[in-house]
Amino acid sequence: MMRLPLIALAALTAGPALSETWECTVPYDEINGGGTVIIGSDRLVFVSNWPHRQPEEATCIHDGAASECMSARLSQTKNGGAAAMIKLFSLGWPVDGPPTTIHVREPAALFRAGSDGYRLFRALPSAGYSFALTDCAAR
């Protein structure tokens, strides 16, 4: 029979707790329209109550008491340049339970096409806001 070091045993038993997934309600506001958010250690999915909005999915890095999640979209502009739209979600994890607030920043940048690739044309001011989470349940 193989013996596991005490630290390995602790890591194995802590794994499921760290990877717990939560589903929370987002109260209605003028930016998001309310809805639900599913938060895991590696992914965040926001589903708005507004029927015209597609669900937003972000990839997350969970490190200790915080998660940083990002979704990004790169699209071509009419003049042959490119536009980068980014959404950054920051979550602070309490010792027991889910986060209660998500802080969002939305930086964006425009690029012009050049002979040797794209060059930054304009960095747009980052919109920032927060929204509350309520009625969270472990999934």
Side-chain angles (χ1 to χ4, degrees):
M1 183 170 176
M2 186 176 163
R3 294 179 134 177
L4 282 176
L6 187 56
I7 192 78
L9 183 60
L12 288 173
T13 58
L18 292 175
S19 63
E20 192 166 55
T21 301
W22 294 90
E23 184 169 342
C24 303
T25 299
V26 177
Y28 178 84
D29 65 26
E30 294 299 322
I31 297 172
N32 297 299
T36 58
V37 66
I38 299 167
I39 308 163
S41 61
D42 62 346
R43 183 176 98 127
L44 177 144
V45 178
F46 173 73
V47 180
S48 174
N49 287 338
W50 285 338
H52 66 279
R53 285 184 65 175
Q54 295 294 319
E56 293 181 67
E57 186 170 338
T59 303
C60 302
I61 297 173
H62 184 90
D63 185 23
S67 285
E68 294 293 333
C69 307
M70 182 177 84
S71 66
R73 200 174 71 239
L74 184 65
S75 55
Q76 189 171 6
T77 60
K78 291 180 183 179
N79 63 1
M85 307 300 179
I86 302 165
K87 206 166 199 180
L88 304 168
F89 301 88
S90 297
L91 301 88
W93 290 89
V95 175
D96 55 345
T100 57
T101 306
I102 296 179
H103 304 284
V104 182
R105 296 174 315 281
E106 294 188 45
L110 300 174
F111 299 88
R112 280 194 177 153
S115 59
D116 59 346
Y118 291 100
R119 294 187 186 268
L120 180 65
F121 170 65
R122 179 175 294 146
L124 305 171
S126 178
Y129 56 93
S130 298
F131 57 90
L133 302 174
T134 60
D135 303 322
C136 294
R139 287 181 69 180

